[in-house]
Amino acid sequence: MTSREPFAPLVEAHQQAVRAFLRRLCGDPAEADDLAQEVFIAAWTSLDSFRRDADFRLWLYGIAYRKFRASRRAAGRRRKREAFVAEIAETVATPDADARLDLQKAMMALSEPQRAAVALCLAAGVSHAAAAALLALPLGTVKAHVARGRATLLSMLGERP
Amino acid sequence: MTEDSRLASLWALDEPPAQDPAFVLATLDRLARRRFRIRVARLVPLFVATMAACWAITPLVDALLQSGGVAVVVAAAIGLALAAKYASDSARPELM
């Protein structure tokens, strides 16, 4: 793409992937959508730095991960997310919502790098090598995060009756 | 159901919609506001510089006007207007 092409089709094409990735990292859909909007604004602002031969979606994932890390450093986010999870637990009782909440809780039990690796490699289908480059981690570390994260998720989800 | 397909089906429950005009519009709205702020921030120094230049060349313009050099003044004004337009054009992509 070039910097003169309209930006709206890019938002349309990639919003689902970016929002899904951030939902798995944050656990809070509203916060994830807010961050996703910031990701697209940052992408638009720094479009000149995008390498034309690179994968645009991976580039967006990279921005999203950095935005997420920055948001974690901001005070109050964690309390907000925990309040959101508690609110869902109290008000929602459908089987789908229960399953979603279980997955969300299991994801939140992972460390941030583990969660990011699982969200990228298992949920979004990104290769281990691409995830390693994106997260600035060694390939072996990413593979270990994915394997351990997957085991933790399955173990926690398996405990549900 | 395998373990991986179970995880995939759980993730699918939390997947945002493939088409979400409300999200796209909200994002473009925030982008438009950001672009407006960038443009204003870019134009303020240009405006100040232009005002300073106008103040500096006022004696010269007065002298030109009094000596019948109206065409030169008009040409300079057009040149300044074109330069300002060029400077305000964004290198960023259009939103829509």
Side-chain angles (χ1 to χ4, degrees):
Chain A
M1 66 156 301
T2 69
S3 63
R4 283 312 232 174
E5 284 174 25
F7 199 67
L10 290 173
V11 179
E12 282 166 2
H14 298 287
Q15 58 88 16
Q16 185 184 33
V18 172
R19 291 165 76 194
F21 175 54
L22 284 166
R23 281 183 187 195
R24 283 151 200 160
L25 286 178
C26 299
D28 175 355
E31 184 191 353
D33 282 3
D34 189 52
L35 278 177
Q37 290 183 354
E38 288 180 23
V39 168
F40 284 110
I41 291 170
W44 179 79
T45 308
S46 58
L47 207 52
D48 292 338
S49 69
F50 172 67
R51 288 196 344 264
R52 303 297 171 212
D53 58 336
D55 183 318
F56 190 68
R57 182 164 294 180
L58 284 181
W59 185 63
L60 289 177
Y61 281 148
I63 297 174
Y65 185 59
R66 288 190 292 278
K67 287 276 176 199
F68 166 73
R69 297 278 306 267
S71 82
R72 292 299 93 169
R73 289 192 286 270
R77 296 275 196 181
R78 189 176 192 85
R79 284 194 299 276
K80 189 178 164 190
R81 188 187 69 233
E82 285 166 353
F84 167 79
V85 171
E87 183 186 326
I88 288 182
E90 284 173 8
T91 57
V92 179
T94 64
D96 273 5
D98 279 350
R100 195 182 305 147
L101 186 61
D102 285 345
L103 179 65
Q104 217 169 68
K105 281 180 177 169
M107 284 292 280
M108 290 304 132
L110 306 180
S111 68
E112 276 181 16
Q114 254 181 10
R115 211 183 312 153
V118 165
L120 283 172
C121 299
L122 292 185
V126 172
S127 72
H128 288 100
L134 198 150
L135 301 173
L137 292 172
L139 180 59
T141 306
V142 169
K143 286 181 177 173
H145 280 331
V146 172
R148 286 187 199 132
R150 180 177 176 278
T152 306
L153 285 182
L154 289 171
S155 148
M156 288 187 73
L157 294 169
E159 287 169 6
R160 192 173 169 237
Chain B
M1 184 183 275
T2 67
E3 290 171 333
D4 284 329
S5 63
R6 182 175 174 217
L7 281 179
S9 65
L10 285 173
W11 271 312
L13 293 174
D14 206 22
E15 192 87 354
Q19 302 290 324
D20 192 345
F23 176 84
V24 174
L25 280 177
T27 304
L28 293 180
D29 181 55
R30 279 177 73 167
L31 263 174
R33 277 182 275 147
R34 173 66 59 89
R35 184 157 77 163
F36 175 74
R37 283 200 295 273
I38 289 173
R39 282 190 167 175
V40 168
R42 187 183 295 171
L43 283 176
V44 165
L46 186 70
F47 176 77
V48 171
T50 305
M51 294 303 289
C54 286
W55 177 79
I57 65 170
T58 298
L60 177 65
V61 173
D62 275 347
L64 274 172
L65 287 173
Q66 282 166 11
S67 64
V70 177
V72 175
V73 175
V74 170
I78 291 172
L80 271 176
L82 288 175
K85 165 133 185 37
Y86 176 78
S88 68
D89 275 348
S90 175
R92 304 281 151 220
E94 293 302 316
L95 299 184
M96 302 292 279

